[in-house]
Amino acid sequence: MTKKEDHHLDEKEIPSENPSRDHGFRDSVHHFACDWDGWIGPDNRHRYVSPGCRNITGYGPEEFMNRPELLGEIVHEADRQGFLSHMKKDPGKEKAFQNELRIVRKDGEVRWIQHICEPVYGPDGEPLGRRYSNRDISAFKFSETALMESEADYRNIVESSNEGICILHDDRICFVNRRLADMVGLGPKEMVGTSFFEHLDSRELLRVKGFYEGFVADKERRQRFETVLRAKKGRCINVEATIIPTFHANQQAALIIIRDITEFKHMEREKRELERILQHSQRMEAIGTLAGGIAHEFNNILWIISANTEYALEFKREGGDVSKNLKRIETACERASDLVRQILNFSRQRQQDPRPLDVRAVVKETLKFMRASLPKSIKIHTAIGKNVGQVIADPAQMHQVVTNLCTNAFHAMRETGGTLKVSLRNIDEKERVAFPVGMAPGRYVRLRVQDTGAGMPAEVMNRVFEPFFTTKQPGEGTGLGLSVVYGIVESCHGAITVNSTPGKGSVFDVFLPIAEEKSGLTFARTRPIPTGNERILFVDDEKEIAEIVRKMLERLGYSVHVETNPAGALQTFKERPGDFSLVITDMSMPCMSGEALAKNVHAVRSDIPIIICTGYGEVIDERRARMSGVSKVIIKPATIDVFAKAIRAALDKEQDKTSICK
């Protein structure tokens, strides 16, 4: 069937000169029409226009019938040339035509129409003009335009966002914005199609895959986590990622929003380092406050040692028993050792891990120093409960809390004198009146430090925990004491409050959660001192220490070779590596440290156990000792029992893990 045959009309459909009689034509056109239909004859005059034209154009059928040029005039000027070009074509040579164009209604409103036009032929194939149908598509076009504008706005927002954004389908990136591409140093087109996990640091791969798999299993649940991206040149980028369910190309997908937090992490590390430095500085300030008490304690210890040594030497000449005097000297040395350990713990820059702690002992030790440091015009009253629970805290930090609070009380009373009251007891949720506002119910230890000094007005009390805020004169303090206390208490998940009345003094309450009690009892056992017969290489640059340790170890049955020079000790070991079963070395020696000696010894013979003795527990920790091949670390001064057990454990290789012996 030919094209012309497609558009043949029966006689009843052919319009006459009188349109009102063309019922068959109107039936045909109405059948063909969409909204506004018409027939234009070969002379370019309308033969028929449907009533729907009025709704779309505002013009009636008769206006189109009487004015052939009206159809072209109402077409928007931007679309008119193309439309008129189409209308001037010979209908007999024209094919069906379809287009979307704008028209201007009679009232001036612009509308979009879909225009469909095709040539029409008579029964004998003669051209009868063209017929058309126009449909109002304004709502669709306006929605389409709005959608395009919305999509453009959305893309502008996404592309200008400071956050990296990508869409994943089956872990593959199907969209990525410029920001994320810049983060990893690639172009957006390079990233599309790659696996998101390819751009992660390899150490983060398993963890992030776990988050993603959790998201896939539950599409309604968003995931948020921190991870590390690996940029093109190997640079690591700390990021916070959020996964949100979305749709892409009519499929469920994952929208990932990535925020660069590298600078934040750097600032966080700097903040922690600054806090560490400030706390250490404040500890030194506190030790200065306690210097009188420390000196007093050491003088007492030295007096005990000096007096008993003098008495023992004199009494020995007379043949008397000096064992009691020697025992007193031993006890005094233990007190001195404990005192040094407390000072080192308090002043060290490295923080220990929090551990179950007896706060009673901390308070008693600190107050012992404070009593010797405070003037006689200030009296100390204590009320320490007998069954106070343990808390999880760092011992040195708890010493600092008590010291700072007591020092603050001392400064409040130094001119007028007064009473420092320190109490410690358990409180539980039955005593809610004693709880600070907002603190979770539970069992707590409450440390109360109260003074009878000048007190504080409200404006000072409200700022008392701010760093560097102080009412002291220049040179009298850093203003960090109470802010450090606040930080320590917060890190222990506790709380601190202050109440003060001008002229009546101040009360500071510290609340610390009581640690969970562990079931079971432990019993101390008295065991014999272990002995042996192996050969030991002992190295210490102090001749007196080397000599007394040699005698002590020989009494335990060991054969001991002593060296006071680490270089000489290494040479001896190189010459006879098979002669020794164990090496014991001091940590701090001239020319070569004990740690360096241990590494050199292991280079000669990797299986030999090594023990390091040190007076400073922070100089070498368990991790560093293990990396140096050290089996045990002994903190000086050590008793013969500690030495014997450490030696036996190292020789018998009872523990694979390096430990510190005290």
Side-chain angles (χ1 to χ4, degrees):
M1 185 177 292
T2 66
K3 186 83 174 174
K4 290 184 178 182
E5 291 173 334
D6 273 339
H7 301 124
H8 281 180
L9 292 181
D10 296 334
E11 289 185 7
K12 67 177 182 178
E13 296 179 301
I14 298 173
S16 66
E17 294 300 322
N18 187 350
S20 63
R21 298 201 304 266
D22 296 330
H23 302 295
F25 168 74
R26 284 196 298 273
D27 292 341
S28 172
V29 171
H30 278 300
H31 178 72
F32 170 80
C34 295
D35 290 279
W36 160 29
D37 309 320
W39 187 304
I40 300 175
D43 58 354
N44 287 326
R45 295 184 67 85
H46 275 91
R47 296 290 189 270
Y48 173 76
V49 181
S50 72
C53 65
R54 192 181 301 276
N55 294 331
I56 297 176
T57 68
Y59 296 96
E62 65 282 356
E63 294 179 84
F64 286 100
M65 297 289 287
N66 296 331
R67 292 179 56 199
E69 69 279 6
L70 181 59
L71 182 61
E73 289 177 357
I74 67 170
V75 175
H76 193 280
E77 60 181 357
D79 303 325
R80 187 177 298 154
Q81 185 176 352
F83 178 76
L84 293 177
S85 176
H86 150 67
M87 294 300 290
K88 290 177 182 178
K89 291 181 180 178
D90 184 356
K93 298 179 180 179
E94 188 183 17
K95 296 181 180 180
F97 175 80
Q98 179 174 322
N99 194 18
E100 292 178 357
L101 50 88
R102 285 161 289 182
I103 64 167
V104 181
R105 280 172 47 89
K106 194 173 186 177
D107 59 8
E109 180 186 354
V110 176
R111 288 200 179 183
W112 280 90
I113 63 169
Q114 183 184 50
H115 175 73
I116 302 173
C117 182
E118 62 181 4
V120 181
Y121 304 95
D124 298 327
E126 70 278 16
L128 300 178
R130 54 173 64 87
R131 61 182 177 181
Y132 63 82
S133 178
N134 297 320
R135 173 169 292 169
D136 189 341
I137 59 170
S138 301
F140 169 75
K141 291 297 289 186
F142 293 150
S143 297
E144 185 180 55
T145 302
L147 179 62
M148 291 175 65
E149 291 174 352
S150 175
E151 287 180 351
D153 290 343
Y154 166 76
R155 184 167 290 276
N156 286 336
I157 291 171
V158 170
E159 290 298 340
S160 62
S161 172
N162 198 41
E163 319 288 4
I165 298 172
C166 66
I167 296 177
L168 303 190
H169 181 67
D170 293 336
D171 87 29
R172 294 279 164 181
I173 298 174
C174 46
F175 169 81
V176 62
N177 73 341
R178 168 60 63 183
R179 172 61 175 149
L180 181 55
D182 289 344
M183 279 187 196
V184 299
L186 297 172
K189 292 182 179 179
E190 291 179 88
M191 290 189 70
V192 172
T194 63
S195 170
F196 175 74
F197 302 115
E198 291 178 20
H199 307 289
L200 293 174
D201 186 277
S202 58
R203 293 166 293 186
E204 293 285 300
L205 197 57
L206 290 177
R207 192 174 69 89
V208 176
K209 277 189 174 181
F211 284 117
Y212 183 73
E213 288 167 1
F215 166 79
V216 171
D218 184 2
K219 289 288 194 308
E220 298 301 317
R221 183 182 63 186
R222 66 171 55 196
Q223 294 275 6
R224 178 172 292 172
F225 54 89
E226 291 184 6
T227 186
V228 180
L229 292 181
R230 178 72 68 174
K232 188 176 181 180
K233 295 183 179 180
R235 185 172 66 92
C236 289
I237 307 164
N238 294 99
V239 298
E240 180 187 75
T242 304
I243 309 180
I244 304 170
T246 189
F247 279 89
H248 183 78
N250 294 323
Q251 291 182 313
Q252 280 194 323
L255 172 67
I256 302 185
I257 302 172
I258 294 175
R259 183 163 63 98
D260 188 343
I261 57 172
T262 305
E263 186 64 24
F264 171 75
K265 286 289 186 182
H266 177 69
M267 291 172 62
E268 205 174 47
R269 286 192 292 270
E270 285 188 338
K271 179 186 174 186
R272 286 197 297 266
E273 178 64 14
L274 181 60
E275 286 175 348
R276 184 189 65 78
I277 293 171
L278 291 177
Q279 285 196 17
H280 180 64
S281 171
Q282 212 284 319
R283 286 195 195 114
M284 295 300 98
E285 183 182 326
I287 283 183
T289 303
L290 299 178
I294 294 170
H296 177 81
E297 184 71 9
F298 262 118
N299 283 334
N300 284 342
I301 292 169
L302 291 174
W303 185 81
I304 293 170
I305 294 173
S306 174
N308 278 280
T309 302
E310 233 181 291
Y311 182 84
L313 289 172
E314 187 67 30
F315 202 51
K316 182 67 175 175
R317 293 191 191 100
E318 300 173 3
D321 183 8
V322 296
S323 59
K324 289 183 179 180
N325 303 97
L326 295 176
K327 185 63 179 176
R328 294 189 189 105
I329 292 172
E330 182 184 31
T331 302
C333 289
E334 289 174 357
R335 281 178 60 189
S337 176
D338 288 341
L339 183 59
V340 170
R341 186 176 295 116
Q342 289 171 26
I343 295 170
L344 290 175
N345 282 341
F346 190 77
S347 63
R348 73 191 185 284
Q349 296 188 46
R350 178 178 63 85
Q351 289 187 356
Q352 292 181 343
D353 292 330
R355 62 188 66 182
L357 181 67
D358 180 6
V359 189
R360 295 172 73 253
V362 173
V363 172
K364 288 179 178 179
E365 287 172 0
T366 307
L367 290 179
K368 183 169 63 174
F369 292 147
M370 294 299 298
R371 279 193 173 93
S373 304
L374 296 178
K376 292 182 179 180
S377 61
I378 297 177
K379 298 179 181 179
I380 299 179
H381 290 173
T382 60
I384 311 298
K386 292 183 177 180
N387 299 312
V388 176
Q390 290 191 331
V391 301
I392 302 296
D394 174 70
Q397 288 188 337
M398 280 300 103
H399 273 283
Q400 192 168 7
V401 166
V402 181
T403 301
N404 288 10
L405 291 176
C406 291
T407 302
N408 184 74
F410 155 66
H411 280 288
M413 299 183 291
R414 60 182 171 176
E415 293 182 1
T416 59
T419 303
L420 170 62
K421 298 178 181 179
V422 180
S423 64
L424 187 71
R425 71 181 185 93
N426 296 335
I427 63 169
D428 56 32
E429 50 194 37
K430 295 178 182 177
E431 301 179 74
R432 293 302 298 271
V433 68
F435 277 37
V437 176
M439 194 170 76
R443 299 175 64 236
Y444 291 83
V445 170
R446 188 190 70 186
L447 168 66
R448 171 169 288 180
V449 178
Q450 183 174 2
D451 66 71
T452 58
M456 295 177 283
E459 59 269 20
V460 173
M461 189 170 65
N462 291 336
R463 299 186 60 192
V464 76
F465 296 117
E466 292 181 14
F468 303 108
F469 176 77
T470 180
T471 57
K472 300 172 186 174
Q473 296 298 317
E476 292 187 352
T478 60
L480 291 171
L482 293 178
S483 65
V484 167
V485 170
Y486 182 87
I488 292 172
V489 173
E490 284 284 303
S491 70
C492 296
H493 307 290
I496 181 170
T497 63
V498 57
N499 286 292
S500 185
T501 303
K504 294 185 179 180
S506 304
V507 179
F508 287 84
D509 283 336
V510 174
F511 300 85
L512 299 170
I514 293 178
E516 294 183 7
E517 296 180 0
K518 296 183 178 180
S519 60
L521 298 175
T522 56
F523 299 92
R525 292 185 177 180
T526 302
R527 306 175 72 178
I529 296 177
T531 59
N533 55 10
E534 289 87 349
R535 185 163 176 77
I536 297 173
L537 173 61
F538 184 82
V539 188
D540 197 305
D541 60 314
E542 290 283 349
K543 292 182 180 180
E544 290 80 4
I545 293 177
E547 184 61 25
I548 191 64
V549 171
R550 181 184 65 79
K551 292 180 178 180
M552 183 174 67
L553 296 182
E554 285 177 347
R555 288 196 62 186
L556 295 174
Y558 297 104
S559 174
V560 184
H561 178 86
V562 170
E563 290 282 351
T564 56
N565 184 301
L570 180 59
Q571 185 60 38
T572 298
F573 187 81
K574 285 180 177 179
E575 292 171 358
R576 296 175 286 157
D579 284 6
F580 303 101
S581 303
L582 174 69
V583 175
I584 303 175
T585 175
D586 186 31
M587 179 63 184
S588 180
M589 297 182 292
C591 302
M592 187 186 302
S593 69
E595 187 178 4
L597 177 60
K599 290 179 179 178
N600 287 318
V601 166
H602 262 275
V604 177
R605 182 180 152 197
S606 61
D607 64 330
I608 189 164
I610 299 175
I611 294 175
I612 282 184
C613 303
T614 177
Y616 301 92
E618 75 279 15
V619 172
I620 181 167
D621 57 20
E622 294 177 5
R623 176 178 164 276
R624 274 183 57 191
R626 187 166 57 253
M627 291 177 65
S628 302
V630 175
S631 305
K632 301 286 178 184
V633 177
I634 295 177
I635 304 299
K636 299 189 295 184
T639 64
I640 189 170
D641 183 59
V642 171
F643 250 110
K645 289 177 180 176
I647 290 171
R648 199 66 261 161
L651 287 169
D652 297 340
K653 298 181 180 178
E654 292 176 357
Q655 298 176 351
D656 294 330
K657 183 179 178 182
T658 301
S659 60
I660 295 178
C661 308
K662 301 178 182 179

